[in-house]
Amino acid sequence: MDLGGGNNGFAEFARRFNDFGNQLGTNIRRVFNDGQGPRRGGSSDDVLGLDAEAFREATIAGNDGGELATYVNEKLVCEAGVDFDGRPMLVFAACRLLNPDVVDYDRLLNLIQFRLDDFVESDYTLVLFAANARYKPNVRWLYEAYRRLGRKYKKNLKALYIVHPAKWVQIVMTAMNAVLSPKFARKVKWVDTLSELAQVAPINQINIPPEVYQYNATKEPRVV
């Protein structure tokens, strides 16, 4: 696409980007709200004959002795102290997502849900490092995550900081505007650099992955 037309060229690019996102959002609603196809995965509420605690234990153990659950708790969704208002702060690093050809993403979603269960009964903040993700979840999985992580998880979430918003995240969020509640959308904050993040969250408490620092170096010479 030729962006050499100055403001007119950018306006045309923005219009096409929004049109693409709106159409994708319409397709999402058609697939998930019109009952096309069975729903994959599930929480304890979806499993007949298996109580919640038994489902949790079986999911955590899996067929790997709990290795994936440990990875989720220690690498993928990490606790990082408290934010400037004293609320627990969680960090999700997209660069640590695993290969969906190897890992069962339905189980992964359950494990993320279990991890959040430890924090959602009170106010909390979530920081998402979006850049340098080698493996990207598809829109269907992201929609299922949004559906499964219902009011219990969204009510006490005070802010979702999306750091280094990669193009795939922007496209997905544009599409998801078709199903996101306005109240939840207002909690989403876009952050371009680690220096910007430091203005709203104590980054000295966060174990920031090397991949995030590498990407941030393309945005600013140093973190201030």
Side-chain angles (χ1 to χ4, degrees):
M1 180 184 296
D2 181 11
L3 298 181
N7 291 336
N8 289 337
F10 180 80
E12 176 64 14
F13 170 79
R15 184 188 67 79
R16 293 186 182 184
F17 181 85
N18 286 331
D19 287 348
F20 172 77
N22 291 335
Q23 183 59 51
L24 189 57
T26 299
N27 292 341
I28 291 173
R29 286 188 293 182
R30 181 180 299 118
V31 170
F32 288 95
N33 294 342
D34 294 350
Q36 295 183 12
R39 231 169 41 192
R40 294 184 63 220
S43 66
S44 56
D45 295 334
D46 301 322
V47 183
L48 298 177
L50 192 64
D51 64 54
E53 188 58 33
F55 176 78
R56 180 186 176 99
E57 292 178 0
T59 302
I60 290 174
N63 59 4
D64 58 9
E67 183 177 339
L68 181 59
T70 299
Y71 183 87
V72 167
N73 293 345
E74 296 181 357
K75 297 290 186 180
L76 189 60
V77 185
C78 304
E79 186 176 3
V82 297
D83 65 13
F84 288 139
D85 294 315
R87 300 179 294 232
M89 185 167 57
L90 295 176
V91 175
F92 185 102
C95 62
R96 290 177 170 169
L97 283 168
L98 299 170
N99 187 347
D101 293 332
V102 177
V103 172
D104 179 358
Y105 264 51
D106 291 333
R107 181 184 171 215
L108 180 66
L109 179 54
N110 281 320
L111 293 173
I112 292 172
Q113 190 171 352
F114 297 157
R115 177 63 165 157
L116 293 176
D117 281 342
D118 295 332
F119 300 92
V120 299
E121 296 302 328
S122 58
D123 294 350
Y124 70 105
T125 293
L126 182 61
V127 176
L128 167 61
F129 291 119
N132 276 358
R134 181 179 180 185
Y135 304 109
K136 304 173 182 63
N138 60 41
V139 173
R140 179 183 290 271
W141 187 87
L142 290 169
Y143 181 90
E144 179 67 7
Y146 178 80
R147 186 192 69 81
R148 291 256 301 279
L149 299 175
R151 185 175 183 274
K152 169 185 173 182
Y153 300 89
K154 301 183 184 82
K155 180 181 70 171
N156 290 326
L157 176 64
K158 295 307 175 184
L160 169 57
Y161 296 109
I162 301 180
V163 185
H164 301 144
K167 289 182 180 179
W168 71 272
V169 176
Q170 296 176 22
I171 290 173
V172 167
M173 291 298 292
T174 299
M176 292 289 283
N177 281 338
V179 293
L180 291 176
S181 70
K183 185 175 181 180
F184 179 79
R186 287 194 295 270
K187 299 179 180 182
V188 178
K189 315 294 183 184
W190 302 94
V191 182
D192 289 329
T193 66
L194 291 178
S195 292
E196 288 184 23
L197 180 63
Q199 300 301 310
V200 294
I203 65 172
N204 61 304
Q205 297 177 184
I206 302 175
N207 184 16
I208 301 175
E211 296 91 338
V212 174
Y213 277 117
Q214 290 168 6
Y215 183 85
N216 192 73
T218 69
K219 297 293 184 179
E220 59 178 353
R222 62 189 181 91
V223 180
V224 296

